[in-house]
Structures are given as structure tokens and as C-alpha cells.
Amino acid sequence: MTSGLLEDASFNQSPAFGDVDLFTADRPLADAAARLGLDTKALTACGRDYGSAATLDLGRVANENPPKLRTMDGKGNRLDLVEFHPAYHALMEKSIGHGIHASAHDGSEPHGPLASRAVRLYLATQAESGHLCPVTMTHACIGALKAEPALLKKWRSKIQSRTYDPRPLPWREKKGVTLGMGMTERQGGTDVRANITSATPISSQGGGDHVEITGHKWFMSAPMCDAFLVLAQAEGGLTCYLMPRYRPDGSHNGLRFQRLKDKLGNKSNASSEVEFHAAYAERVGPEGAGVRTIIEMVNLTRLDCAIASAGQMRIALSQALHHIRNRSVFQKKLADQPAMRAVVADLALELEAQVALVFRLAHAADHAATDPREAAYARLLTPAVKFLVCKSTPQVVYESLECLGGNGYTEDLPMARYYREAPLNAIWEGSGNVMALDVLRAAGRHPDAATDTLSRLVRTASQAFHVTPLAQALERTLKSADAERRARFLCEGLARIAALAALVEAGSDFATLYGETRLGAGHFAQFGTADLGSNETALMDRALAI
Ligand SMILES: Cc1cc2nc3c(=O)[nH]c(=O)nc-3n(C[C@H](O)[C@H](O)[C@H](O)COP(=O)(O)OP(=O)(O)OC[C@H]3O[C@@H](n4cnc5c(N)ncnc54)[C@H](O)[C@@H]3O)c2cc1C
């Protein structure tokens, strides 16, 4: 063996993954988009852009060079600036250029605006997840700002701009802006009613519309956003406010960043701890209605968590398929080894169902305003889908990583980064138990709508697999005194039936297989243990159609 041979990169190693059209290569996605009547030509261009080798490499570089906080200059003047690597800025420019921060609200996509944007988010997250934090938050904040039309009107053109402008300037002087959110405090995250940060009216501007906020936030991500939706206690109770980085006179607002979190993953994105020192802010929605006002935002971010997690699973599985098609062991390609095929086909089956499910939910969100049944579906299923999809992500990413063997575990390839990112969406915007309890809350507040939604899901799902016993168990548990303790059972059961129903609605060839292997008896939890029989080839071919 010569040293030249040892340096030969083609020595039974898979070539680098890149220059792939992430939209067309993903048959479950392309089918979902066609079913929803979306502009597949535009989405193909988007898939090529995020799947190019150059864009995928921006993801690597942005995470190898995390942001730095500069609280002061060398002479002690406050700066409160976070400096990001140019790769992060390039990704922001791209995703804002694709309208992922605002297109669902700006009328540019009259047909399926949320679903169409969801496809672009799903594609973008495959290149890099961290930069999508402010992109998602900007999109979601628009939902909450609708509660204060005059304020939204003032900001709208800057928010909807497709120009990314990272300059630290008052928002009116910028070509485009991004929005963040500060809800979580040290003593209460999920329980926002425990917030102690307080708002004091500025007397000259009256009515509690303009306030100064004093307190802190324990997590406030993307601190270079131009304004933040913040919850604070006013005289009338917990209230939502929009806090710009600069006061109306152009001076620095009272935001003092304490430090950046040292996180498991999500390295390209900064998440700050921040203090507010009489920071100027404007009220959003009625005083005392903070939770009701931010619910619009929260629903949109929860949907985004599910979509982005589905994208994270997809890119991990694509990397795995690409590798096993190129790597041989024992004189045979890994993709032809029966035990390996059982694993990746099982992962592909999970993605078939979860992709169908998240886009079914996006469709419901698109039609919720005009169709009460879609509204009921969105209300009941949003937490359940977030629970199932986000909780599946670490496991799917881990199995995909293992398909690359030792290489998968190294920092030279992106699998380790995907793995570190994978648990985040399950925690952010409502952790697992909180989602499960939210399903109970939705069912308790609107029992007739919930029963009707479940009945329709069961009717549809039953075309492929007998789900009635499970549905009856869910109904019994829901009505029992034990419902809270069994909240995860209810939540996952509901999401699994909805996933099966989504496959049936999609006319999928794999609906019965999904029902048998996920809801039937005699199956184990690990991927690769289910008997998928002759479906393996079709599942693998559809998962990465290149
Ligand atoms: C990377 C990152 C970025 C973030 N960015 C932001 C941001 O920009 N803005 C922001 O406001 N927040 C942000 N967060 C905070 C995040 O939304 C919260 O961490 C999350 O909502 C959970 O709140 P907590 O940390 O206070 O946990 P807790 O509320 O203390 O929950 C701890 C655990 O208890 C469980 N639990 C809670 N209630 C119940 C119950 N009734 N019964 C049973 N179990 C329960 C939860 O599921 C969880 O597992 C970020 C977090 C991370 C990790």
C-alpha cells in the first residue's frame, strides 16, 4: 500500500454531500407540496440554494465560529453588541431573501402562505438551524403584533423587507429589521405568570401605551434583533410589550446583556441573559392580556419547531443514505446489506409519516381562520405534533449518525452538529410535558371540537389500520381522573393517529405499514426492528431520490 493510496479520498469513503436539490430529492416533501398546490418550481430553486455545497459549508463555518458578546469598549462605554461571523450573516441574508421571516404575512403567497413558507423553513434548516431562530421569531412576532394594528402598521414595511440589515442602528434608519422575544425569567419559564419584570407607564405619553421596563430575562436569543416582544407585569397584570433596541430619540435603550449562554448546540446563534434598566417599550394588546396576546406568536413558533425538526431529521437521513450508497463493507455496498436497509428504511418510514403530518398541520393553520374544523385541528394538534416530531428528532439523528460509523461521531462531518442541535426544539416554546398538558387543556376547553377532530382522524386512519381500540383508550384516559399523569400517552397517541390519517389523506402506499409498525402489537422501539418486507427499496428511494 503506497502513501498515495492512503491519501486518496475516494478510498471507499463517500464523497462530500452537497450540490443536491433538497426539494426534488425529497419525494415525501415534493408530494406534500404538490398536494397543497404550492409553487414547486420556486421551491425547487430554494432546494438547490440550500442544498448547494457552498450553503451547506456556511452552516459548518457559522457553527465553528460562534458569536461574541462585547458589553463595553476598552474605555468602559456600554456597547451591548454581539458580533457574528460573516457566515452567519450570509445565511441570514439568504433566509430573509427567501422571505422565511415574513412571507406568510405579506400577501406574496396568496395560496397556502404558511405551508409554502414551511417548505422553505424545512429546507433552510437543513443547511443551518441556529440562524433560523431570529427568522422564526420575526415571523411569529408578526402574529402577536396583529393585536396592536397601529404599531404593526408603523413597523410593517421594515419587517417585511427582504433586505437583511445587521447594522446596529435605530430601526427607522435600517433597510430591514428582525424581531426577538423575551419571556423566560430565572424564576419562571413555562410559568410566565411568575414573571417579576415590571412595566411603569411613562407619564407624558399616558395610558400605559408607552412604558419603561425594569427586570431581566434568563433566555433572550438573537440579541441583535431590532426589537423584542417582552412580557412584563403592569398594574393590570402580565402584559406584552415591544421593546426596541434604541429609544425613540435614537439613544441606546436600557438593554444590558450579562452574558451569552454556553449551549449544547445551536452554536451559531447567540442566546443572552439580559437586564432591562428602565428600557423603553410600547404595549401590544390590552394590559393584563399578555398571555392571550403572545399565544398567536407561540402557536406559530410551535409549528415552526415541528417543521424545523422534521428538516433536521431529513438532512441527517439524507447524509446517512448518501454514505451507505457509497461505502462498501464485506465486498458489498452498505445500502445493499440487509441489516442496514432495515434501519434506514425504518427511518424513512418515520419521515414519510412525520413530513405528511407537519404539512397537514401547516395546511390546517393556513385555513383555521375560515374553516372551524381546521381551526379545531390546529388547536388540538399543534402541541401534539410538536411533541412527537421534536421528540423523535434526537433518535432519528442519532441512528443516522451511526450509519456513518466512526466518521459520524467526528466533528469533521456535520452529524455531530445535527445531534447537538436535535433536542432543542423539544425544549424551546414548551417542553414535552408542557405540550402534553396543552393537549389536555385544548380538549378540556373545547370538548366537542376535540371529540369531532378525533372522530374524523379515526375515520380516516381506519382506512389503513384498525385504530379504534387506541382511540377508545385515549377517550377513556382523557375522561379519567388520571389524565394528567397519562398526558404523554394521550399526546403521542393522538399524534400517531394524526400521522396515520395524514398518510391516508396523502394516498401514501405506506399508511398500513406505518399503522402496523407504530400502532400494532409485537414491535420494539428501536429503528430497524420492524419488518418492512418488500417496502424497503421504495422507502429508501423516495427518501433521497438522487
Ligand atoms: C437555546 C435556547 C434558546 C432560548 N431562547 C429563548 C428566547 O429567545 N426567549 C425566551 O423567552 N425563552 C427562550 N428560551 C427558553 C425556553 O423557552 C425555556 O427554557 C422553556 O420554555 C422551558 O422553560 P424553563 O427553562 O423555565 O423550564 P421549566 O418551566 O422550569 O420546566 C422544567 C421541566 O419541567 C417540565 N414541566 C413544566 N411544567 C410542568 C407541569 N405542570 N407538569 C409536569 N412537568 C412540567 C417541563 O416540561 C420541563 O421538562 C430558550 C431556551 C433555549 C434552550
Side-chain angles (χ1 to χ4, degrees):
M1 195 175 284
T2 68
S3 61
L5 194 54
L6 283 174
E7 285 159 16
D8 183 354
S10 64
F11 192 42
N12 196 23
Q13 290 283 352
S14 54
F17 181 84
D19 292 330
V20 175
D21 168 1
L22 295 174
F23 177 74
T24 312
D26 182 346
R27 296 318 305 168
L29 173 69
D31 287 354
R35 217 165 40 246
L36 295 171
L38 307 183
D39 180 353
T40 50
K41 203 167 148 211
L43 295 173
T44 302
C46 189
R48 284 207 192 102
D49 191 5
Y50 284 109
S52 76
T55 308
L56 293 174
D57 202 47
L58 287 176
R60 175 187 66 80
V61 178
N63 283 277
E64 284 178 0
N65 297 279
K68 289 196 184 97
L69 172 62
R70 295 186 66 209
T71 51
M72 293 179 199
D73 69 11
K75 307 213 166 154
N77 301 303
R78 289 295 314 186
L79 289 175
D80 295 291
L81 287 175
V82 180
E83 289 174 342
F84 291 86
H85 191 270
Y88 171 92
H89 290 304
L91 287 160
M92 285 294 289
E93 193 177 342
K94 193 179 285 297
S95 292
I96 284 180
H98 281 294
I100 304 174
H101 68 303
S103 70
H105 309 279
D106 67 7
S108 61
E109 280 168 314
H111 188 77
L114 283 168
S116 177
R117 172 196 168 273
V119 176
R120 292 198 301 279
L121 174 67
Y122 171 98
L123 295 168
T125 203
Q126 296 183 53
E128 208 283 314
S129 294
H131 81 284
L132 291 167
C133 173
V135 173
T136 275
M137 291 196 293
T138 305
H139 157 74
C141 285
I142 301 172
L145 284 173
K146 286 179 182 166
E148 206 59 50
L151 188 60
L152 178 57
K153 191 169 168 213
K154 207 162 68 169
W155 281 77
R156 191 185 278 277
S157 66
K158 299 289 182 186
I159 297 172
Q160 290 179 350
S161 162
R162 302 267 172 123
T163 303
Y164 172 57
D165 185 347
R167 292 173 301 162
L169 291 173
W171 66 272
R172 286 184 191 279
E173 296 170 33
K174 295 183 64 166
K175 297 189 179 114
V177 299
T178 53
L179 306 176
M181 57 179 77
M183 295 183 287
T184 310
E185 297 186 8
R186 221 177 347 244
Q187 76 289 347
T190 303
D191 185 6
V192 288
R193 288 182 194 278
N195 278 13
I196 52 173
T197 293
S198 64
T200 310
I202 301 174
S203 53
S204 61
Q205 284 157 314
D209 295 353
H210 301 257
V211 297
E212 284 180 337
I213 293 183
T214 300
H216 80 283
K217 294 292 163 185
W218 184 234
F219 277 93
M220 198 170 84
S221 289
M224 286 299 96
C225 286
D226 298 283
F228 303 87
L229 279 184
V230 168
L231 284 178
Q233 301 287 359
E235 214 173 276
L238 196 64
T239 305
C240 182
Y241 296 96
L242 185 69
M243 180 189 286
R245 284 182 52 77
Y246 293 82
R247 297 177 75 94
D249 65 4
S251 62
H252 282 266
N253 206 356
L255 290 86
R256 304 276 182 269
F257 298 116
Q258 304 302 299
R259 59 174 184 161
L260 299 185
K261 300 282 191 193
D262 186 5
K263 297 171 288 186
L264 169 66
N266 198 254
K267 298 282 185 187
S268 68
N269 177 36
S271 299
S272 72
E273 291 166 17
V274 62
E275 285 179 2
F276 303 139
H277 295 256
Y280 170 85
E282 292 183 45
R283 184 177 47 72
V284 182
E287 191 168 295
V291 172
R292 182 152 44 91
T293 304
I294 59 157
I295 273 302
E296 273 308 302
M297 175 188 82
V298 167
N299 285 334
L300 290 172
T301 45
R302 287 179 178 172
L303 175 60
D304 268 16
C305 285
I307 295 160
S309 287
Q312 288 171 23
M313 288 189 273
R314 168 61 66 201
I315 186 66
L317 178 57
S318 296
Q319 296 269 8
L321 274 157
H322 171 73
H323 180 74
I324 65 169
R325 285 174 184 167
N326 288 283
R327 171 88 164 172
S328 294
V329 294
F330 305 113
Q331 290 83 49
K332 212 153 93 178
K333 286 275 190 283
L334 274 168
D336 297 324
Q337 300 279 4
M340 179 59 90
R341 293 171 65 78
V343 173
V344 288
D346 209 4
L347 293 168
L349 176 61
E350 195 57 46
L351 264 284
E352 287 275 352
Q354 296 206 13
V355 167
L357 180 61
V358 293
F359 287 103
R360 176 65 186 85
L361 179 59
H363 172 78
D366 263 329
H367 293 86
T370 53
D371 184 338
R373 288 188 153 178
E374 293 298 330
Y377 182 104
R379 176 64 192 94
L380 189 66
L381 266 301
T382 299
V385 174
K386 179 184 186 283
F387 177 91
L388 177 65
V389 178
C390 298
K391 289 240 162 271
S392 303
T393 307
Q395 203 188 345
V396 169
V397 171
Y398 150 65
E399 283 293 357
S400 303
L401 177 156
E402 191 175 308
C403 292
L404 277 78
N407 284 354
Y409 199 67
T410 68
E411 294 291 349
D412 296 325
L413 291 176
M415 307 306 283
R417 164 160 63 95
Y418 302 159
Y419 186 60
R420 284 195 299 269
E421 187 75 21
L424 175 54
N425 285 332
I427 297 170
W428 190 54
E429 283 295 51
S431 313
N433 291 351
V434 176
M435 289 301 89
L437 294 172
D438 199 41
V439 170
L440 288 190
R441 192 173 305 117
R445 286 208 179 138
H446 306 283
D448 294 342
T451 305
D452 181 58
T453 302
L454 182 60
S455 306
R456 284 183 302 113
L457 288 174
V458 169
R459 266 199 306 280
T460 308
S462 297
Q463 294 170 37
F465 184 76
H466 187 49
V467 294
T468 308
L470 171 60
Q472 286 169 343
L474 294 178
E475 278 183 296
R476 267 196 314 278
T477 310
L478 185 60
K479 287 177 188 149
S480 74
D482 225 12
E484 190 167 333
R485 189 176 68 81
R486 302 283 288 136
R488 281 192 178 214
F489 167 69
L490 282 165
C491 186
E492 179 160 351
L494 175 66
R496 291 277 179 196
I497 292 176
L500 177 54
L503 284 175
V504 172
E505 283 183 11
S508 168
D509 294 336
F510 309 112
T512 300
L513 188 66
Y514 181 80
E516 284 171 356
T517 56
R518 272 54 182 178
L519 301 174
H523 294 282
F524 300 131
Q526 299 298 331
F527 285 107
T529 56
D531 182 0
L532 307 182
S534 59
N535 293 289
E536 287 175 359
T537 303
L539 283 164
M540 289 166 65
D541 288 352
R542 282 173 55 78
L544 186 64
I546 50 172

